[in-house]
Amino acid sequence: MGRQRVLSGVQPTGSLHLGNWLGAIRNWVELQHRHDAFFCVVDLHAITVPHDPALLARQTRQTAALYLACGIDPQRATVFVQSHVPAHSELCWLLNCITPLNWLERMIQFKEKAHKQGSQTSVGLLDYPVLMAADILLYNADLVPVGDDQKQHLELARNIAQQRLNGQFAAHGETVLNVPEPLIVPEGARVMSLTDGRKKMSKSDPNDNSRINLLDAPELVRKKIKRARTDAVAGLTFDDPERPEADNLLALYALLGVGSRAAAAEECGRMGWGQFKGLLGEVVVDALRPIQQRYGELMADPSTLDGVLRQGRQRAETVAQASLERVRTALGLTPRRQ
Ligand code: TYM
């Protein structure tokens, strides 16, 4: 039995934040040691909402550099840019044609984003989860490490693989492509906004104080934590539905500081907000310092990043092309080479 295959990606929109790191990338770093790992920067997903072309190009490189700065090792994992491997778009089209429209109309993220875009909502935004399914299925991924908010998209990818591709187009007893499983970390899968503990931390929140970006300077990190929403109760507690902010900040302290929820609750249970925020600020600054340092080094050396992405594209293309060919054959498209 070969190693299990893992695939995941982050959109290069806005800057990556603590949620992206704790919910996804930090877990990828662990997984790359035991799995055959593919991590892409999903730039084709980033253009499903209005975007600035110059900014997209810059953020695509920044996101790739952040993967490496967070500890993804290009000797172990394949790191690449989604649009560099055209098979993603091609498989997306093939899957579009076998996916019922109403499966997409049900997607919560589509409904939320379409509500914001109104009459400007693009076809691409509706199709976003099919492209995501293509990303995953192209690599025959066994596991997809994501945050909690991607569960529904993962379920869709599984349904497309199982019910449509394999269910309708595989020869008896065989599969066309693998059916993936989501991998969601028990802690950190849902980091909440600093300004509203009932909303998830998000790149698209117009208020930058709602999130800690991985590249925020130490002073800014301290300031954002100091300003984070609090309540009138003294002492930090987990799991009180009336105190989502306390739960969220204490969970961050557990994840980045003391390492366990029990230890965080024990240490901070009777602390005032002021003292706790000072402590949390330092823990976050310390956690981000090595990432920011490595990021600075990588951005100062563009040829290294270019080399990583070139090699990543080559490796990814080999795997993706083989899967695409299987799907083409299963759907009855004639072979390219006779
Ligand atoms: P994106 O770019 O919104 O987020 C990247 C990853 O970060 C996780 N995440 C969070 N985790 C915890 N707390 C939060 N507040 C938080 N916000 C975001 C997300 O769950 C995700 O794992 N559709 C995907 C990108 C994608 C993809 C894929 C992922 C495209 N193709 C194939 C996996 C496999 C997205 O928009 O993620």
Side-chain angles (χ1 to χ4, degrees):
M1 273 269 294
R3 292 191 299 172
Q4 281 201 313
R5 173 84 52 77
V6 158
L7 175 126
S8 199
V10 173
Q11 292 191 67
T13 36
S15 42
L16 269 59
H17 52 68
L18 274 186
N20 300 131
W21 185 42
L22 298 174
I25 301 172
R26 208 165 79 145
N27 194 20
W28 304 357
V29 175
E30 290 298 311
L31 290 164
Q32 69 181 339
H33 297 287
R34 287 168 284 118
H35 296 79
D36 184 18
F38 287 77
F39 301 121
C40 56
V41 179
V42 291
D43 54 347
L44 296 172
H45 279 100
I47 61 172
T48 56
V49 290
H51 75 285
D52 171 345
L55 200 60
L56 176 67
R58 204 161 61 235
Q59 287 179 338
T60 299
R61 290 185 66 82
Q62 286 177 347
T63 303
L66 269 172
Y67 286 5
L68 305 185
C70 287
I72 300 298
D73 175 359
Q75 302 300 328
R76 293 181 183 275
T78 300
V79 176
F80 65 103
V81 175
Q82 181 191 35
S83 70
H84 292 179
V85 182
H88 289 249
S89 309
E90 198 172 339
L91 182 61
C92 178
W93 176 257
L94 301 181
L95 299 181
N96 276 339
C97 296
I98 60 171
T99 302
L101 179 60
N102 65 34
W103 286 11
L104 299 181
E105 288 167 334
R106 285 205 287 267
M107 294 291 113
I108 296 164
Q109 281 201 359
F110 170 70
K111 287 194 230 171
E112 285 172 0
K113 289 189 185 175
H115 181 70
K116 282 191 203 149
Q117 306 287 325
S119 63
Q120 297 306 304
T121 303
S122 71
V123 176
L125 189 66
L126 177 70
D127 203 25
Y128 176 117
V130 181
L131 179 60
M132 180 162 161
D135 300 340
I136 298 166
L137 303 185
L138 264 185
Y139 298 89
N140 269 307
D142 299 295
L143 299 170
V144 185
V146 284
D148 190 61
D149 62 339
Q150 296 300 316
K151 251 191 208 158
Q152 198 187 28
H153 290 159
L154 249 297
E155 200 46 44
L156 182 91
R158 286 173 53 79
N159 289 342
I160 292 176
Q162 203 158 28
Q163 296 178 29
R164 297 285 147 160
L165 208 49
N166 294 340
Q168 296 182 343
F169 298 97
H172 189 66
E174 291 186 14
T175 57
V176 183
L177 294 177
N178 198 29
V179 180
E181 294 282 346
L183 189 67
I184 297 177
V185 281
E187 316 280 340
R190 202 169 172 77
V191 176
M192 308 310 280
S193 155
L194 298 183
T195 46
D196 180 351
R198 294 178 206 274
K199 269 179 21 191
K200 70 167 184 158
M201 187 176 281
S202 158
K203 294 187 210 115
S204 58
D205 191 321
N207 183 358
D208 190 57
N209 286 325
S210 67
R211 63 185 160 261
I212 305 281
N213 302 304
L214 298 185
L215 297 176
D216 281 347
E219 263 328 294
L220 184 58
V221 170
R222 293 188 185 99
K223 199 164 89 188
K224 284 180 175 176
I225 290 178
K226 246 182 219 137
R227 287 195 184 159
R229 183 151 156 185
T230 53
D231 53 35
V233 183
L236 275 292
T237 48
F238 281 118
D239 299 326
D240 181 341
E242 298 305 310
R243 305 191 66 203
E245 286 81 18
D247 181 82
N248 186 43
L249 295 185
L250 195 55
L252 286 180
Y253 186 65
L255 277 167
L256 298 174
V258 285
S260 83
R261 283 164 69 91
E266 168 73 26
E267 185 182 340
C268 310
R270 280 172 296 277
M271 250 180 219
W273 277 102
Q275 185 189 1
F276 171 73
K277 282 179 162 183
L279 204 61
L280 180 63
E282 293 318 308
V283 158
V284 176
V285 166
D286 285 348
L288 297 185
R289 189 175 294 116
I291 295 176
Q292 296 183 352
Q293 192 185 334
R294 280 200 294 270
Y295 174 82
E297 291 160 8
L298 283 159
M299 292 307 276
D301 174 18
S303 62
T304 297
L305 190 61
D306 288 341
V308 167
L309 295 178
R310 195 178 321 114
Q311 192 194 36
R313 172 177 66 78
Q314 285 162 358
R315 283 197 220 148
E317 220 152 30
T318 308
V319 178
Q321 212 47 49
S323 304
L324 184 62
E325 219 45 58
R326 283 179 69 83
V327 179
R328 286 176 49 90
T329 305
L331 295 189
L333 299 167
T334 52
R336 281 177 238 229
R337 287 186 217 91
Q338 294 282 0

